């Protein structure tokens, strides 16, 4: 079978049957294409070999890719091969590959003061500033993933009851409360900016000035811009708002299970990383207190 035809079958499978978003499916397919074109130049499924996975991992590591990137790409390729095997398109033994352990890094979390400074950075005299302010407030108030934020639909935002209905990973639905403050800025954006957009009937809430939904790359650049304007020296991304949301909730006594549900984590161990962040900040505050106390 032609390899492009096989890729097309797999893409349709992970979207229609596994429920992945189009963007997530594209990311998977990009990883697979990277191997098929840059590493092996495979034209047909008959050329697929049982040692491809090991070859791919070695290639990734030798070209200086990070462990997390290498493991992610390997996982994408393995999923593709297992699909072909299940569909009886290939007939090879899928060898297990021992992957290196990813280093454990605590995500960056901003202080309350830094968050306030970041949220206040957009220029509210400009239409895009009002929109960006609403987006930042929404993300911090709800802990959305950046993909969930940019793909958020107008119909899924209940400003009256302060709730957002989110289609998360694997099309899993969850309802998250959102604060009144964020709702006020969303309403301001809708009334003053979005209502004048050429594509104001779009189902998506946050739109570019041309009426399209915004890209992850655009919002990433905006967050970087506002961080620089706010004097934040940490290397942050849109996901930093999600990390900060979770950590601040736990620091203020929120139940871990509730935070898990709000973030849409399948496994609570993923949420527990924020207890490490919270503890780290508490220890830092304690050390600071002791130093000040000793100076008196």
């Amino acid at each position: 079978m032609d390899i492009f035809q096989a890729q097309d079958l797999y893409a349709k499978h992970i979207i229609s049957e596994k429920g992945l978003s189009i963007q997530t499916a594209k990311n998977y397919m990009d990883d697979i294409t990277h191997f098929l074109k840059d590493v092996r130049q495979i034209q047909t499924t008959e050329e697929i070999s049982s040692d491809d996975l090991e070859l791919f991992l070695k290639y990734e590591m030798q070209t200086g890719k990070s462990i997390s990137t290498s493991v992610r790409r390997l996982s994408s390729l393995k999923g593709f091969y297992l699909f072909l095997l299940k569909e009886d398109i290939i007939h090879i033994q899928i060898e297990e590959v021992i992957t290196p352990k990813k280093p454990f890094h605590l995500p960056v979390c901003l202080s309350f003061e830094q968050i306030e400074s970041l949220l206040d950075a957009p220029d509210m005299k400009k239409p895009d500033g009002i929109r960006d302010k609403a987006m930042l407030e929404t993300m911090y108030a709800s802990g959305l993933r950046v993909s969930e934020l940019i793909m958020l639909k107008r119909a899924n935002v209940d400003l009256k009851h302060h709730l957002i209905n989110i289609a998360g990973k694997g099309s899993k639905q969850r309802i998250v409360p959102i604060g009144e403050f964020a709702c006020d800025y969303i309403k301001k954006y809708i009334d003053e900016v979005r209502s004048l957009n050429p594509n104001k009937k779009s189902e998506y809430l946050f739109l570019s000035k041309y009426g399209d939904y915004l890209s992850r790359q655009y919002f990433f650049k905006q967050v970087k811009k506002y961080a620089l304007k706010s004097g934040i020296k940490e290397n942050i991304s849109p996901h930093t708002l999600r990390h900060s949301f979770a950590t601040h909730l736990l620091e203020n006594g929120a139940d871990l299970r509730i935070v898990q549900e709000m973030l849409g984590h399948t496994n609570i161990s993923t949420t527990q990383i924020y207890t490490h962040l919270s503890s780290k900040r508490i220890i830092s505050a304690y050390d600071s207190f002791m130093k000040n106390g000793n100076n008196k």
Side-chain angles (χ1 to χ4, degrees), residues 130-183:
I130 295 174
R131 180 203 58 214
D132 291 349
K133 168 76 170 176
M135 293 181 74
L136 291 171
E137 291 283 355
T138 300
M139 196 167 191
Y140 177 62
S142 59
L144 297 185
R145 299 178 178 93
V146 63
S147 57
E148 294 169 345
L149 178 74
I150 62 176
M151 300 301 288
L152 187 60
K153 295 181 179 179
R154 175 68 186 89
N156 291 342
V157 181
D158 185 346
L159 295 176
K160 181 179 179 181
H161 298 100
H162 301 172
L163 295 172
I164 298 178
N165 190 336
I166 303 163
K169 286 187 176 180
S171 296
K172 293 180 180 177
Q173 299 285 327
R174 72 184 190 277
I175 296 177
V176 176
I178 182 172
E180 184 176 350
F181 204 63
C183 285

Side-chain angles (χ1 to χ4, degrees), residues 226-287:
Y226 294 133
L228 183 65
K229 182 179 177 181
S230 305
I232 296 172
K233 293 182 170 51
E234 288 85 350
N235 182 24
I236 73 167
S237 69
H239 222 63
T240 305
L241 287 160
R242 179 171 160 88
H243 296 321
S244 302
F245 162 81
T247 304
H248 294 168
L249 279 178
L250 291 170
E251 285 181 343
N252 283 278
D255 182 85
L256 188 64
R257 291 284 182 186
I258 299 299
V259 177
Q260 176 193 3
E261 290 180 17
M262 295 181 73
L263 293 174
H265 287 160
T266 302
N267 195 320
I268 198 167
S269 63
T270 309
T271 319
Q272 284 175 327
I273 188 173
Y274 298 109
T275 63
H276 297 300
L277 277 172
S278 186
S279 299
K280 183 179 178 182
R281 291 174 54 129
I282 290 170
I283 291 171
S284 175
Y286 175 77
D287 288 344

